[in-house]
Amino acid sequence: GGTGFSDKIRETQDVGTDYGIIQVGTLEIGGTNAYLFTRHSQLDVPHRVNYRGNIQAAKLLGVRMMYGISAAGRLHADVLPGHLVAVSDFDWDDIAPETFAEDGNMLLHISMNPSCSEGLRKVLHDAWKEVKEQVQERYSDASQLAVGYHQDGVYFNIHGPGFSTVAREEAIRRKGNNHKVIGQTLHSEAYLAREMQIAYTGLAMCVDHSNYPNAPQHVNHGEVVMQAVPATADAAYMLLDAAIRKIPNPFDDPAHTALQHALLPEQVHLGRLNEVRPRLAEILRRELL
């Protein structure tokens, strides 16, 4: 996540990865300590965020489950600014997800079905009933925000950093009736997390109407979006705080064995990989033994 969560960090640590040093925050949520990976702390635009570094750092720290929180725009009639959407699938048309196989020395064909952890989405759904009134109270001074939660929905990932257009969003809506929100960050995170066997679910915060028909069309990032983000981020924090308390212990997810079905010893050259990505080589070596 980022905005609305960064101010809750209690301490930070630097984690060395094959993709640079990643600063990781620690916060208390759901009665436990959690790591927070902030996407834009270096003012990186969405398509230049160090996703591989963040996800590898999570793997090196022993993370087995992850929620990706992201501000997004409206695509669906039933989704309004203020609503939270538990992402169940992804669509995209102009940017492929990142992969740890980009540097060669390995072939990796990971399964993305289901795209997001159904177990992590279920606890969000169960937790919403507990926090709905709290969210209503938080939104009481923000008349532009509506209280609502969607237990599934497709997140359409575009190449930022600019907003989309009317024609483009009309075409996206024609592709499917469950395309709920449009954003710029979650798809690569979900894909990389699966490659590292981390259960992942996106939680999208709808913060504006984007170009939805007959809704306010003008999107001003400073005056509209950034006014909505703090309140929706607080709502997301309330929901996650309640949801994390409900995650079963132990928690098993199909993502935790994803490499068993996607990685063949003869399709990985660990020696060459070790020369350029030694931490990735060690992670894969453990999976192949």
Side-chain angles (χ1 to χ4, degrees), residues 2-15:
T3 305
F5 283 74
S6 300
D7 58 354
K8 296 178 174 63
I9 291 176
R10 299 192 306 181
E11 57 185 19
T12 62
Q13 62 177 300
D14 290 338
V15 178

Side-chain angles (χ1 to χ4, degrees), residues 223-278:
E223 294 181 7
V224 178
V225 176
M226 294 311 293
Q227 287 183 6
V229 166
T232 54
D234 283 349
Y237 187 90
M238 294 172 192
L239 179 58
L240 286 171
D241 183 66
I244 289 170
R245 299 174 192 274
K246 296 179 178 295
I247 296 175
N249 186 16
F251 175 76
D252 295 316
D253 191 272
H256 294 156
T257 57
L259 286 177
Q260 294 179 14
H261 312 290
L263 189 65
L264 299 176
E266 61 269 23
Q267 294 181 328
V268 183
H269 198 299
L270 287 174
R272 289 201 303 257
L273 186 62
N274 188 66
E275 294 175 2
V276 292
R277 305 292 187 194

Side-chain angles (χ1 to χ4, degrees), residues 120-196:
L120 292 181
R121 284 198 300 117
K122 181 182 184 302
V123 295
L124 286 175
H125 177 63
D126 293 342
W128 172 250
K129 291 168 277 193
E130 296 181 9
V131 303
K132 183 177 179 180
E133 291 185 5
Q134 290 178 262
V135 174
Q136 179 76 61
E137 184 177 350
R138 176 63 179 89
Y139 285 1
S140 60
D141 295 328
S143 59
Q144 79 276 21
L145 298 179
V147 177
Y149 171 77
H150 304 264
Q151 62 181 328
D152 59 41
V154 176
Y155 177 103
F156 196 94
N157 209 119
I158 63 168
H159 191 292
F163 292 112
S164 189
T165 66
V166 173
R168 191 179 195 187
E169 291 183 19
E170 287 177 350
I172 293 169
R173 278 189 290 273
R174 286 196 295 270
K175 295 180 69 172
N177 59 12
N178 202 35
H179 285 59
K180 296 284 180 67
V181 286
I182 185 169
Q184 303 176 6
T185 57
L186 294 186
H187 187 204
S188 284
E189 281 183 358
Y191 200 91
L192 291 165
R194 183 64 55 84
E195 289 186 341
M196 289 292 99

Side-chain angles (χ1 to χ4, degrees), residues 20-42:
I21 301 295
I22 301 297
Q23 188 177 80
V24 183
T26 302
L27 55 81
E28 186 175 343
I29 185 170
T32 189
N33 289 323
Y35 295 117
L36 178 66
F37 301 85
T38 54
R39 300 187 191 95
H40 308 295
S41 58
Q42 303 301 316

Side-chain angles (χ1 to χ4, degrees), residues 73-81 164-174 179-180 182 208-219:
R74 176 188 184 189
L75 275 180
H76 196 278
D78 295 337
V79 178
L80 297 173
S164 189
T165 66
V166 173
R168 191 179 195 187
E169 291 183 19
E170 287 177 350
I172 293 169
R173 278 189 290 273
R174 286 196 295 270
H179 285 59
K180 296 284 180 67
I182 185 169
D208 65 76
H209 291 282
S210 197
N211 294 296
Y212 197 82
N214 302 316
Q217 295 294 310
H218 181 66
V219 176

Side-chain angles (χ1 to χ4, degrees), residues 109-127:
H109 302 288
I110 206 78
S111 172
M112 289 299 292
N113 184 22
S115 299
C116 290
S117 167
E118 295 178 347
L120 292 181
R121 284 198 300 117
K122 181 182 184 302
V123 295
L124 286 175
H125 177 63
D126 293 342

